[in-house]
Amino acid sequence: DSGVTQTPKHLITATGQRVTLRCSPRSGDLSVYWYQQSLDQGLQFLIQYYNGEERAKGNILERFSAQQFPDLHSELNLSSLELGDSALYFCASSNTGFGNTIYFGEGSWLTVV
Amino acid sequence: DQQVKQNSPSLSVQEGRISILNCDYTNSMFDYFLWYKKYPAEGPTFLISISSIKDKNEDGRFTVFLNKSAKHLSLHIVPSQPGDSAVYFCAARTGGTSYGKLTFGQGTILTVHP
């Protein structure tokens, strides 16, 4: 158990819909990272928040957005969903923006039908 | 543009023997490399890392070797155990950017047979 909690574990939704994935980082961790793992792309970095502020951005679509709240939990919002958005979404955390490693949650499986 | 490549999708090894997982990269700005292990229905778990100023790092049964001139790193597991069966991901990051912004390879499925 990494200490990073993600909900929901599984989600099935229709094209065009919007979903929110939630992440609670390890206790004391200020940084939260979101990754997407799809069959053809592997693990791809999406975005990082540090203590409520966006710190780094990767290949995140404009239809996707994220935020980190004062209690340090984070949400990833996916809108206008397409079939290709079906993937495993991981959240990870670390105790600073410059930790040597990051700790991953178990992921949220999103299936768009 | 795949900057980190794991060219072997799978590897099968007998228990007690050595497992060697390979990873190649193209971005010369990468200065830190990590290996993660992933079991089904779990998130990736950090295994071992190496800075670009070193060529070897060892932690118990796991050793990572870095050959900067060849842009190649490898993970050696000795001796291999059935519990090591998992997907192994190589990851890299560039200096001066967020330490959590990692570029991952596609992964290698390791199967260790009893």
Side-chain angles (χ1 to χ4, degrees), chain A:
Chain A
D1 183 4
S2 67
V4 179
T5 305
Q6 290 187 246
T7 56
K9 291 201 184 318
H10 301 274
L11 188 57
I12 302 175
T13 190
T15 55
Q17 295 298 304
R18 172 190 168 95
V19 298
T20 297
L21 308 179
R22 194 179 191 278
C23 170
S24 293
R26 296 186 317 157
S27 177
D29 283 0
L30 299 178
S31 275
V32 170
Y33 312 82
W34 286 98
Y35 279 81
Q36 178 194 55
Q37 184 181 20
S38 55
L39 281 176
D40 57 344
Q41 294 289 333
L43 268 162
Q44 300 259 312
F45 171 78
L46 295 178
I47 197 164
Q48 179 207 354
Y49 277 81
Y50 175 75
N51 203 20
E53 294 187 1
E54 183 183 305
R55 177 61 65 91
K57 214 166 184 176
N59 299 322
I60 187 166
L61 299 172
E62 285 191 11
R63 299 183 286 107
F64 296 180
S65 65
Q67 54 185 326
Q68 186 179 27
F69 296 86
D71 67 352
L72 300 178
H73 92 270
S74 177
E75 293 181 355
L76 179 66
N77 300 296
L78 315 174
S79 61
S80 303
L81 286 167
E82 302 175 358
L83 296 178
D85 297 327
S86 296
L88 186 53
Y89 291 85
F90 286 107
C91 172
S93 73
S94 68
N95 59 8
T96 68
F98 300 97
N100 278 335
T101 187
I102 61 176
Y103 298 87
F104 284 85
E106 294 182 352
S108 292
W109 271 106
L110 172 66
T111 302
V112 182
V113 296

